[in-house]
Amino acid sequence: MPSLTSVLTDRFAAALTRAFGEDFAGRDPVIRSSQFADFQANVALPLAKELKSKPRDIAAQIVENLDLEGVCETPEISGPGFINLTFTPEFLASTLEAGGAAEAPANDAPQKIAIDYSAPNVAKEMHVGHLRTTVVGDALARTHEFLGNTVIRQNHIGDWGTPFGMLIEHLLDVGVDSDEASEVSENPNAFYQAARAKFDSDEAFATRSRSRVVKLQGGDEETLGLWTTLVGYSREYFNRIYSLLDVTLTDADLAGESTYNDMLAEVCDELEAKGLATISDGALCVFPEGFTGRAGEPLPLIIRKSDGGYGYATTDLAAVRNRAINLGVNRALYVVGTPQAMHFEMVFTVARAAGWLPETFSPEHVKIGNVLGSDGKILRTRSGAPLRLAELLEEAVTRAKTTLAESHVDFGPEEADEVARIVGIGAVKYADLSVAHDTSYTFDLDRMLAPIGNTAPYLQYAGARIRSIGRKAEAEGVDASQVANAAISLGETAERELALSILGFADVVTEVAAGSTPHRLCTYLFDLAQAFTSFYEQCPVLIAETEELRDSRLRLSAIVLEVLQAGLGVLGIRVPERM
């Protein structure tokens, strides 16, 4: 189904051609929502200087050549030259009747997109800080796939570096097949903290650990085998969290730091050969243009330390080069915390200077804000430690189950568990996604699980209510096939507003993908649910005045459910059968 704005854009392209010539056919009609109509086209204003005419006069010429027969009411010109556009109820109804309201718009130029997200550390617990990078990244991956783009998920896990010397030595001490070793898949922090305590207190252990790092980086077969065991235990842990969160990451998406180990020396050699990297205080550095410290001194991007080791900058340069050249993607989205903004700006600048990034490639940092506690500080335990993600998610499910037990729905034990998980996890994910990803938000389970307001339970309940209406209609003998093909009537204001809201879905999903802004989809779905609530309150469905009107409203309700499910599905949130 074409989006509403694409329908208008095509009509304006034809009008601009007729009014001003072929050179104007591709001009953006600048279509925006309007408080005075459904949409307004503002194209006359930017054309005024070029055409040396008043915007209102230009608008009048456009309207004179604008064919909106059967689509909109007669356009009105307002203000300095805005063209107000109001769709006819017949056009909205026929568009809905054509089907596909919950489908993605046509994608004439599909892209290949790499999305770097989640990125936990091996042998460490995932904490609340990983929530947003995982949830936002997964929503973007689902959005692009929904639109027909090819997505390459890149879970850049921390699986390399100096800590693995002590972790491998501790693994040898406790035994590869011991309960302590397998604990990495259940409680990674306990294993890591035990290794760290020994490293800090036992010099012999610390010496062995440092030697083990050298063996690891040198490709020692036994050491690599032990490292693989540790990564395997952590993979089990990651997958359990991903399953609980209902995200789409799999083992095939792992692209950790170790992936680029063999590329690091080559990256440094190439940057040095191109004259971009120089030795500074014993370290190999790049000083990208435009980055300075407080005193105006050039800021270095250290790509090889004075001891010969490599850091995050080298790995990230290797990664962006690999994504641009070997993976051949059009866009690379880095769903990473806001504090890393300058780091990525420097990495991207160096990669461009090195000639690794073709003009068709766009690296983008999707900045992620913090999750805060009620005190306005980063959410932590009472002891000050990062809050375990598994603990937070389990509490959300438990709280959801308590809330559902207070409802009037008679759930069976298994159904209660399933619905509690759908509602609890959905509430956490939606609360995260419903705010701009580069801002922080306060984690508040009471608000997240509230059945009113801009929350997942409110949207899920709207879907469950529509399903309930459908079940009642079926019980009353309403013919489902008759409803599916019913003519849609938009005689009431609430019906027309609901139709208009439904038909905004394609435009919103396209905007979300273009700007990496899943919160816009949340806003849209909330507005749609509110429009349905108004419709349901003002327009009787099962007791409508006529059978034709009943079927029309049942069909409208069914389409709302399709769009709600599609939209929430893009966000990674399910709608339960009953609530």
Side-chain angles (χ1 to χ4, degrees):
M1 172 185 290
S3 69
L4 293 179
T5 55
S6 68
V7 170
L8 294 176
T9 297
D10 290 344
R11 301 297 177 113
F12 269 83
L16 288 166
T17 300
R18 285 192 288 267
F20 309 116
E22 291 287 345
D23 291 344
F24 291 83
R27 298 300 175 90
D28 181 2
V30 197
I31 294 170
R32 301 288 186 266
S33 59
S34 171
Q35 59 179 323
F36 304 109
D38 295 336
F39 290 97
Q40 66 182 32
N42 302 340
V43 65
L45 281 71
L47 288 180
K49 185 175 181 181
E50 184 176 356
L51 294 174
K52 297 181 174 58
S53 183
K54 295 178 180 178
R56 282 190 69 93
D57 292 341
I58 294 172
Q61 285 181 270
I62 295 172
V63 169
E64 185 179 340
N65 289 277
L66 188 59
D67 179 13
L68 289 174
E69 182 69 28
V71 175
C72 290
E73 309 288 356
T74 302
E76 295 180 353
I77 300 172
S78 67
F82 303 130
I83 302 172
N84 292 333
L85 306 158
T86 300
F87 291 106
T88 66
E90 293 77 15
F91 172 77
L92 296 176
S94 64
T95 304
L96 287 175
E97 289 168 2
E103 296 174 3
N107 187 348
D108 297 327
Q111 294 183 314
K112 183 188 287 187
I113 300 172
I115 305 182
D116 182 330
Y117 69 104
S118 193
N121 293 309
V122 166
K124 282 189 179 181
E125 188 98 25
M126 288 179 72
H127 54 77
V128 70
H130 292 110
L131 174 65
R132 300 202 74 185
T133 58
T134 304
V135 168
V136 172
D138 204 60
L140 293 176
R142 290 173 186 262
T143 301
H144 282 288
E145 286 180 333
F146 179 76
L147 290 172
N149 294 321
T150 298
V151 174
I152 302 175
R153 292 165 174 79
Q154 299 273 274
N155 192 353
H156 194 91
I157 61 172
D159 64 350
W160 202 251
T162 54
F164 283 89
M166 72 178 191
L167 291 170
I168 291 172
E169 286 301 318
H170 183 54
L171 178 65
L172 286 169
D173 286 354
V174 302
V176 174
D177 298 320
S178 67
D179 291 340
E180 290 92 334
S182 63
E183 193 175 24
V184 175
S185 64
E186 299 289 338
N187 183 11
N189 281 1
F191 186 90
Y192 184 90
Q193 289 165 359
R196 170 56 68 181
K198 285 165 66 176
F199 185 88
D200 292 339
S201 62
D202 185 338
E203 186 56 39
F205 178 84
T207 300
R208 292 193 344 250
S209 299
R210 296 187 188 99
S211 298
R212 185 63 68 176
V213 172
V214 175
K215 291 180 179 179
L216 177 64
Q217 294 177 339
D220 176 69
E221 188 174 337
E222 179 200 13
T223 302
L224 285 173
L226 294 166
W227 170 82
T228 300
T229 298
L230 272 175
V231 173
Y233 280 135
S234 278
R235 192 164 56 237
E236 291 177 27
Y237 166 74
F238 297 153
N239 288 339
R240 193 164 55 255
I241 298 294
Y242 293 148
S243 176
L244 182 58
L245 260 180
D246 194 17
V247 298
T248 55
L249 286 168
T250 67
D251 290 350
D253 305 316
L254 293 174
E257 295 171 358
S258 63
T259 305
Y260 310 101
N261 187 53
D262 295 339
M263 307 177 193
L264 304 184
E266 184 181 335
V267 164
C268 291
D269 291 344
E270 187 173 343
L271 290 173
E272 202 167 10
K274 290 182 175 180
L276 295 171
T278 57
I279 300 295
S280 177
D281 293 331
L284 185 64
C285 304
V286 180
F287 293 87
E289 188 176 346
F291 296 90
T292 57
R294 292 181 180 177
E297 74 282 7
L299 280 180
L301 192 68
I302 301 174
I303 59 173
R304 189 176 66 221
K305 302 174 187 176
S306 57
D307 62 3
Y310 305 105
Y312 294 125
T314 330
T315 302
D316 285 333
L317 282 168
V320 74
R321 185 182 71 158
N322 182 64
R323 290 163 187 174
I325 298 174
N326 298 328
L327 298 184
V329 302
N330 304 104
R331 295 173 67 187
L333 308 180
Y334 288 73
V335 188
V336 184
T338 297
Q340 298 298 315
M342 180 176 287
H343 167 78
F344 281 115
E345 286 178 23
M346 294 177 78
V347 166
F348 299 156
T349 299
V350 170
R352 285 193 187 93
W356 295 335
L357 310 186
E359 290 186 8
T360 55
F361 175 82
S362 173
E364 304 165 32
H365 180 195
V366 181
K367 302 179 182 68
I368 300 296
N370 293 319
V371 182
L372 308 178
S374 58
D375 58 359
K377 299 178 181 177
I378 294 176
L379 188 62
R380 297 182 181 275
T381 63
R382 291 181 179 178
S383 65
L387 191 64
R388 294 173 57 237
L389 182 54
E391 182 180 310
L392 181 149
L393 297 175
E394 288 161 4
E395 182 182 356
V397 174
T398 299
R399 293 273 290 276
K401 191 169 184 178
T402 300
T403 301
L404 290 169
E406 298 169 355
S407 70
H408 300 295
V409 181
D410 184 20
F411 294 111
E414 291 185 5
E415 185 184 10
D417 290 341
E418 176 69 5
V419 175
R421 180 181 172 183
I422 291 172
V423 173
I425 299 300
V428 171
K429 294 173 76 170
Y430 187 86
D432 196 307
L433 293 165
S434 62
V435 297
H437 57 71
D438 57 349
T439 60
S440 299
Y441 75 93
T442 300
F443 192 90
D444 181 349
L445 275 176
D446 288 336
R447 180 182 59 79
M448 292 175 179
L449 289 165
I452 57 174
N454 189 12
T455 67
Y458 176 73
L459 301 181
Q460 290 168 323
Y461 181 73
R465 174 191 278 177
I466 295 171
R467 286 200 174 111
S468 176
I469 295 169
R471 286 192 294 269
K472 289 179 181 177
E474 184 179 359
E476 293 176 8
V478 176
D479 186 342
S481 62
Q482 180 176 307
V483 169
N485 295 290
I488 293 176
S489 171
L490 303 177
E492 299 292 334
T493 300
E495 291 172 319
R496 185 187 183 283
E497 291 300 316
L498 181 58
L500 194 62
S501 184
I502 291 170
L503 293 171
F505 178 61
D507 282 330
V508 170
V509 178
T510 302
E511 291 170 10
V512 168
S516 298
T517 51
H519 70 281
R520 293 186 181 277
L521 179 54
C522 293
T523 300
Y524 164 79
L525 293 173
F526 178 53
D527 290 344
L528 174 63
Q530 286 189 307
F532 173 76
T533 299
S534 296
F535 156 79
Y536 185 71
E537 291 173 349
Q538 298 174 38
C539 304
V541 178
L542 295 177
I543 56 171
E545 297 171 6
T546 65
E547 182 179 303
E548 291 76 17
L549 193 54
R550 178 202 65 193
D551 290 350
S552 167
R553 290 173 179 173
L554 282 170
R555 187 176 182 184
L556 258 183
S557 300
I559 296 172
V560 171
L561 177 60
E562 290 174 8
V563 175
L564 277 175
Q565 285 184 291
L568 287 171
V570 162
L571 297 174
I573 298 170
R574 290 189 286 161
V575 179
E577 288 292 326
R578 302 192 300 160
M579 278 184 71

